[in-house]
Amino acid sequence: QQPVQSPQAVILREGEDAVINCSSSKALYSVHWYRQKHGEAPVFLMILLKGGEQKGHEKISASFNEKKQQSSLYLTASQLSYSGTYFCGTETGMYSGGGADGLTFGKGTHLIIQP
Amino acid sequence: NAGVTQTPKFQVLKTGQSMTLQCAQDMNHEYMSWYRQDPGMGLRLIHYSVGAGITDQGEVPNGYNVSRSTTEDFPLRLLSAAPSQTSVYFCASSYGLGVEKLFFGSGTQLSVL
């Protein structure tokens, strides 16, 4: 079952901040975040494992709330290069003990950064 | 070190034809997977494998077959192509399922007429 991402699209001016949310109806083993530019393959940003830890990557960071089965991606002081579609991917099966489900992605959040 | 290699990059099929999309990785990854990407639908998991000889279905497996006879290769077979299978297909691999980053191939644009 695909995780749910919100919002579907965001338009920002360069330098503004954005938050992208990802939620699941199942207990999460891990959450991945990827960014995809038009016509290209998705590119890895970060992984968060159960435990509520927050990770950072330059001005992009993420949190993982295991109890709420949610993750959020934070983009601060956005740059033009941040434009693209952001996907969260979730692995749930291993956590429930039922074996792997495979990494399942949300429908994506389109981020447009204007100068 | 080539990473994840997908072939072909583009393919046009007629309805009912069969074909195989090739995926190979040279990183000794145990986990390999196939996704299809359609506008507004994100990346949907078709099939995946956690090691040679082991495959499992993802969200949208109907109309597709896979096998994993070696660690390196994970081909995706379309048995009888349908227009609904027009999509961009990505192969991806990682060291471990869920806990390691996915390496994506460059994708295959498939059109079924």
Side-chain angles (χ1 to χ4, degrees):
Chain A
Q1 187 174 5
Q2 285 184 294
V4 177
Q5 286 187 234
S6 63
Q8 290 185 328
V10 184
I11 301 175
L12 298 176
R13 293 248 180 236
E14 201 171 4
E16 293 181 337
D17 302 339
V19 180
I20 300 172
N21 300 303
C22 175
S23 64
S24 173
S25 59
K26 301 170 86 171
L28 297 177
Y29 184 81
S30 65
V31 180
H32 294 221
W33 286 97
Y34 293 79
R35 177 172 61 210
Q36 185 180 32
K37 304 273 186 181
H38 183 68
E40 299 178 5
V43 173
F44 171 79
L45 294 176
M46 64 189 74
I47 291 175
L48 300 102
L49 302 179
K50 58 176 179 143
E53 61 186 282
Q54 185 156 349
K55 285 198 170 183
H57 178 74
E58 296 179 346
K59 293 181 180 178
I60 301 174
S61 62
S63 62
F64 178 21
N65 188 322
E66 181 187 347
K67 290 182 180 179
K68 292 186 177 181
Q69 299 158 191
Q70 295 174 346
S71 177
S72 295
L73 185 71
Y74 307 94
L75 299 98
T76 57
S78 58
Q79 306 169 12
L80 293 175
S81 62
Y82 287 1
S83 291
T85 302
Y86 289 77
F87 294 98
C88 71
T90 57
E91 169 56 49
T92 59
M94 294 171 72
Y95 191 43
S96 68
D101 284 340
L103 193 65
T104 304
F105 287 92
K107 294 184 178 181
T109 296
H110 302 285
L111 179 64
I112 299 172
I113 310 295
Q114 298 176 334
Chain B
N1 194 338
V4 180
T5 303
Q6 279 185 247
T7 56
K9 290 191 180 299
F10 303 95
Q11 183 70 49
V12 179
L13 292 177
K14 294 181 179 179
T15 298
Q17 286 185 315
S18 62
M19 79 157 296
T20 300
L21 305 185
Q22 301 292 344
C23 177
Q25 52 88 11
D26 60 359
M27 297 173 283
N28 203 30
H29 286 172
E30 289 296 322
Y31 177 71
M32 297 186 74
S33 53
W34 278 101
Y35 293 89
R36 61 176 289 173
Q37 186 169 32
D38 304 293
M41 299 302 294
L43 294 153
R44 291 185 292 171
L45 182 63
I46 304 172
H47 286 285
Y48 64 97
S49 169
V50 296
I54 305 169
T55 63
D56 209 342
Q57 296 180 349
E59 305 165 80
V60 288
N62 293 339
Y64 307 95
N65 271 0
V66 293
S67 60
R68 184 96 179 268
S69 56
T70 67
T71 299
E72 295 78 19
D73 300 300
F74 192 45
L76 179 72
R77 298 182 185 85
L78 281 69
L79 308 174
S80 178
S84 61
Q85 293 179 305
T86 294
S87 188
V88 178
Y89 291 84
F90 287 102
C91 177
S93 70
S94 71
Y95 284 110
L97 173 58
V99 295
E100 300 285 346
K101 71 175 185 178
L102 282 179
F103 291 77
F104 281 87
S106 56
T108 297
Q109 173 74 62
L110 176 68
S111 295
V112 183
L113 306 177

